[in-house]
Amino acid sequence: ELARVRPGESVLVHAATGGVGMAAVRIARHLGAEVFATASPAKHGVLEEMGIDAEHRASSRDVGFEERIRRATGGRGVDVVLNSLTGEFIEASLRLLADGGRFLEMGKTDLRDPGEVAEQYPGVTYHLYDLVTDAGPDRIKDMWAAMEELFASGALAPLPVRSWPLERAREAFRFMSQAKHTGKLVLEIPPALDPDGTVLITGGTGALGRVVAEHVVRQWGVRRLLLAGRRGPEAPGAVELVEHLRGLGAVVSVVAADVSDAQAVAELVGKTDPAHPLTGVVHAAGVLDDAVVTAQTPESLARVWSAKATAAANLHEATRDLRLGAFVVFSSAA
């Protein structure tokens, strides 16, 4: 809206392989504009994949783009610049604008005074904008609605996305600061634990599993439990445990499963009622085989490792594509 792009006009998008840049290229094309783009030379292959040929692309690492694009436009320049660069790149971009050109600044540093720009570059309009603070909730709502229609019709396609777990946010921002990415970087927010879903507790009929089961019912508000153990319903005290948990309002299933067996874990996860999908996993299973270090044997270590670490890996693999609200692993010392 700020640029008022019309069919046949030309638009220069700086840093066009980033998320905003890619979106701008697609929208400008949808509006019927001729698109020029800059990016680091290492990412020109991405520009090529976006359909931006050699005549319409230039480096974002030096101001040579000014002369390159001026030649490509027969000396006229472009109608619109979407800018995210600083310093001499801004001056070069302003000089590249044709009469009546619009310069849209979405950066947060090296900002210019619109009046001074108009005085220095007659016929050029400088727009400094911030979507969140300037558009307001009502206008953003309208824009979302318009974009939704464009995506639904196929006029626009989603951008490429690389996602990072929220706990790796520092790594994601470092990656972005090094300009290694294309498209959007997205931080995955862990889902909340759905109390109407099912929580799987391995070792669920053991001493630790019993305590955890009662805790998730009382404190987490969970109403459906899947308790897994080697002996399942035949485990000592299993019947009493189920009655106790049901008395607290829980729906409880007890199954026999060896979680050190990957196939058994896959089948166990598959037992979850689709109406109440798995929302949490608590790995409390383990084998007690204590001994001082000098008395340990490969066999004893393997038994403990299998029940704890191998089983944890199996659980991870079986649930890696699920949106879990919790994945809790107890150590053998617990």
Side-chain angles (χ1 to χ4, degrees), residues 259-313:
V259 290
S260 65
D261 182 329
Q263 182 60 37
V265 172
E267 293 176 358
L268 177 63
V269 171
K271 291 181 183 294
T272 308
D273 182 356
H276 305 284
L278 201 64
T279 189
V281 172
V282 180
H283 182 33
V287 170
L288 183 63
D289 197 353
D290 291 346
V292 296
V293 173
T294 55
Q296 292 286 359
T297 66
E299 293 75 21
S300 64
L301 289 173
R303 282 193 296 272
V304 174
W305 182 268
S306 178
K308 185 58 65 176
T310 301

Side-chain angles (χ1 to χ4, degrees), residues 2 4 94 97 100-104 114 117-118 121-127:
L2 292 177
R4 304 182 308 282
L94 287 168
L97 282 167
R102 289 85 75 193
F103 185 97
L104 272 60
V117 171
Y121 301 94
V124 169
T125 303
Y126 178 92
H127 292 284

Side-chain angles (χ1 to χ4, degrees), residues 56-140:
H56 287 77
R57 62 178 183 257
S59 173
S60 59
R61 293 292 183 262
D62 60 71
V63 295
F65 70 85
E66 179 186 1
E67 183 58 31
R68 185 180 182 87
I69 294 176
R70 190 175 298 281
R71 287 200 307 269
T73 58
R76 178 181 180 276
V78 297
D79 296 295
V80 177
V81 171
L82 179 62
N83 183 64
S84 56
L85 306 180
T86 60
E88 60 181 349
F89 294 90
I90 293 179
E91 304 302 332
S93 299
L94 287 168
R95 289 193 298 267
L96 191 55
L97 282 167
D99 185 47
R102 289 85 75 193
F103 185 97
L104 272 60
E105 177 61 81
M106 62 178 179
K108 303 301 178 186
T109 61
D110 200 4
L111 307 180
R112 308 300 171 88
D113 178 83
E116 293 179 2
V117 171
E119 185 176 328
Q120 187 175 357
Y121 301 94
V124 169
T125 303
Y126 178 92
H127 292 284
L128 173 63
Y129 73 97
D130 184 291
L131 177 63
V132 175
T133 58
D134 294 344
D138 292 338
R139 191 68 198 98
I140 290 176

Side-chain angles (χ1 to χ4, degrees), residues 198-311:
T198 301
V199 171
L200 165 63
I201 303 177
T202 68
T205 57
L208 179 58
R210 293 166 181 262
V211 173
V212 171
E214 182 170 345
H215 178 81
V216 299
V217 173
R218 288 185 181 275
Q219 303 299 322
W220 294 4
V222 171
R223 288 294 172 263
R224 288 171 176 79
L225 297 177
L226 179 59
L227 308 182
R230 289 180 180 271
R231 299 180 62 182
E234 303 301 321
V239 174
E240 292 79 7
L241 173 62
V242 170
E243 291 179 354
H244 174 64
L245 295 172
R246 286 174 177 170
L248 297 176
V251 177
V252 185
S253 297
V254 181
V255 297
D258 178 4
V259 290
S260 65
D261 182 329
Q263 182 60 37
V265 172
E267 293 176 358
L268 177 63
V269 171
K271 291 181 183 294
T272 308
D273 182 356
H276 305 284
L278 201 64
T279 189
V281 172
V282 180
H283 182 33
V287 170
L288 183 63
D289 197 353
D290 291 346
V292 296
V293 173
T294 55
Q296 292 286 359
T297 66
E299 293 75 21
S300 64
L301 289 173
R303 282 193 296 272
V304 174
W305 182 268
S306 178
K308 185 58 65 176
T310 301

